[in-house]
């Protein structure tokens, strides 16, 4: 399966600032996704990153708060904007080869907001 | 009702035990099921991927889907301390979104 690298692996940020998380894949992939995993909780899909077009956001997540880019088939970024302590979480990138196919995950970015 | 439900545990077993991890799902139309293992400070790692009903075996791991009861299980034989992790079940819903259970934290004691 594809090797997925996320940067940074962790960060501690101040309230009101923004952080951009990078996801790099070692091969071209059809689908890329961003998830949030809060402490002790399961994974919640934030959005599907679409190559060359706007991301598709899930209910409860908006572009102004979580802008996403996907300039090509191997790279995507997620920005967490105007952060508050409620944004403290693990953010995970995943990739998939098509509908109903298993997704493969990076190791995540552990984000703490003070 | 959550689309995929999983007992969060934690579950603690002695080394060598057979472990049974279970999930239920809400919609009989779900057909694709996955089990992931997540070690601390790591991302989820795909263990098993199954379609529809029946069993699938891979080494010490067996995934089972019972569509009549909307129940999915993961069995681990001869459990090892290295199996200590959180196990997540997942399924695609009818909207094509991958839905995860809450995860079961497993600890295998030497």
């Amino acid at each position: 399966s594809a090797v997925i690298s996320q940067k940074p692996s962790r960060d501690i940020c101040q309230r009101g600032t923004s952080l951009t998380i990078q996801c790099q894949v070692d091969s071209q992939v059809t689908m890329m996704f961003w998830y949030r995993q809060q402490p002790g909780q399961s994974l919640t899909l934030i959005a599907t990153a679409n190559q060359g077009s706007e991301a598709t956001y899930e209910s409860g997540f908006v572009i102004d708060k979580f802008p996403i880019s996907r300039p090509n088939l191997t790279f995507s970024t997620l920005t967490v904007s105007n952060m508050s302590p409620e944004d403290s979480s693990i953010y995970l990138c995943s990739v998939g080869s098509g509908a109903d196919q298993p997704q493969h995950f990076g190791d995540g970015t552990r984000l703490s907001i003070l | 009702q959550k689309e995929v439900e999983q007992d969060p545990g934690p579950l603690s077993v002695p080394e060598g035990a057979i472990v049974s991890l279970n999930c239920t799902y809400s919609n009989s139309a779900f057909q694709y099921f996955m089990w992931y293992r997540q070690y601390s400070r790591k991302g989820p790692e795909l263990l098993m991927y199954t379609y529809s009903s029946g069993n699938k075996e891979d080494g010490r791991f067996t995934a089972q889907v019972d569509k009549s009861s909307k129940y999915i299980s993961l069995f681990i034989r001869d459990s090892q301390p290295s199996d200590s992790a959180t196990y997540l079940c997942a399924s695609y819903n009818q909207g094509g979104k991958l839905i995860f259970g809450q995860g079961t934290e497993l600890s295998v004691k030497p």
Side-chain angles (χ1 to χ4, degrees), chain B residues 15-28:
Chain B
E15 183 175 356
I18 297 174
V19 176
S20 172
L21 303 166
N22 306 294
C23 291
T24 58
Y25 59 96
S26 62
N27 192 321
S28 57

Side-chain angles (χ1 to χ4, degrees), chain B residues 42-97:
Chain B
K42 292 289 189 180
E45 169 195 5
L46 179 69
L47 273 180
M48 303 288 275
Y49 171 62
T50 56
Y51 168 71
S52 196
S53 276
N55 293 358
K56 182 175 182 179
E57 189 173 320
D58 184 1
R60 295 185 295 111
F61 299 89
T62 299
Q64 189 174 80
V65 177
D66 181 347
K67 295 207 79 180
S68 62
S69 57
K70 292 184 281 187
Y71 204 78
I72 56 177
S73 302
L74 179 71
F75 298 97
I76 307 174
R77 291 184 299 281
D78 187 25
S79 56
Q80 302 295 310
S82 58
D83 295 326
S84 298
T86 297
Y87 290 80
L88 297 144
C89 60
S91 179
Y92 277 103
N93 69 5
Q94 287 188 287
K97 180 176 160 183

Side-chain angles (χ1 to χ4, degrees), chain A residues 10 37 42 100-101 103 110, chain B residues 36 38 41 43 49 92 101:
Chain A
R10 58 171 55 213
Q37 186 176 29
S42 190
D100 299 327
Q101 294 301 302
Q103 294 178 21
R110 281 148 186 82
Chain B
Y36 287 86
Q38 186 174 23
R41 302 186 182 282
Y49 171 62
Y92 277 103

Side-chain angles (χ1 to χ4, degrees), chain A residues 45-65:
Chain A
L45 181 64
I46 297 171
T48 301
N50 301 308
Q51 194 264 330
S53 64
E54 265 192 20
T56 305
Y57 288 85
E58 296 299 311
S59 176
F61 298 97
V62 295
I63 187 171
D64 289 347
K65 176 67 176 177

